[in-house]
């Protein structure tokens, strides 16, 4: 029997203290170095934001659900008109390493849901790789990577 819904779960360890990783995710000035091109504010509990991405003309509405300093960032954003919950959980591993776990929930287990699962699983893995490159090496891996997607 197949599950009724599918959800995304990815994780990566980053060689930086948890407070630096948390700040890089909630602070739009830092996020613009590896993920988005623009935001109208910092991620704070209950806040509604608009994100722009360098590859796309659209604005993505984001509704911040819950923030726990250095532990949790959760928000809703839309996919084809459906609000989807993104949760980023941070934990310390060893000496000043941070494990970032991301989940995005959920879509029906059908053709559209499987397309979302594939695309956004890649997207969140890319997010983590770009975050790691930015924090550990000061590199913006995203710059120019998706220019082929511009319409």
């Amino acid at each position: 029997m197949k599950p009724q819904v599918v959800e995304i779960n990815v994780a990566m360890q980053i060689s930086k203290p948890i407070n630096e990783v948390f700040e890089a995710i909630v602070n739009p000035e830092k996020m613009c170095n590896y993920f988005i091109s623009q935001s109208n504010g910092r991620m704070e509990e209950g806040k509604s934001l608009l994100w722009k991405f360098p590859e796309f003309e659209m604005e993505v509405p984001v509704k911040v659900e819950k923030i726990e300093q250095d532990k949790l960032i959760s928000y809703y954003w839309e996919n084809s008109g459906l609000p989807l919950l993104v949760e980023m959980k941070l934990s310390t591993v060893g000496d000043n390493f941070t494990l970032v776990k991301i989940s995005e929930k959920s879509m029906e287990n059908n053709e559209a849901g499987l397309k979302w699962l594939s695309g956004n699983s890649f997207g969140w893995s890319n997010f983590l790789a770009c975050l790691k490159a930015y924090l550990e090496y000061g590199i913006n891996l995203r710059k120019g990577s998706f220019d082929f997607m511009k319409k």
Side-chain angles (χ1 to χ4, degrees), residues 53-121:
F53 290 85
E55 308 81 30
F56 309 107
E57 296 297 320
M58 66 185 172
E59 292 182 333
V60 177
V62 172
K63 173 72 171 139
V64 182
E65 182 74 10
K66 187 169 182 141
I67 300 285
E68 291 180 32
Q69 182 71 38
D70 298 340
K71 291 182 184 175
L72 174 70
I73 300 146
S74 73
Y75 60 91
Y76 285 90
W77 66 353
E78 290 186 15
N79 181 30
S80 303
L82 297 172
L84 298 177
L85 176 63
V86 175
E87 292 180 318
M88 299 183 182
K89 296 179 181 179
L90 286 68
S91 58
T92 299
V93 178
D95 268 347
N96 288 323
F97 296 98
T98 302
L99 178 62
V100 181
K101 294 181 178 180
I102 300 175
S103 66
E104 186 174 2
K105 303 169 185 161
S106 59
M107 295 280 287
E108 286 187 39
N109 188 357
N110 58 24
E111 187 175 336
L114 293 175
K115 182 178 179 186
W116 163 82
L117 180 68
S118 173
N120 282 26
S121 291

Side-chain angles (χ1 to χ4, degrees), residues 2-19:
K2 69 179 184 177
Q4 299 299 312
V5 296
V6 291
E7 71 178 49
I8 295 166
N9 292 289
V10 297
M12 187 175 287
Q13 183 171 299
I14 298 175
S15 300
K16 287 293 179 178
I18 201 166
N19 62 314

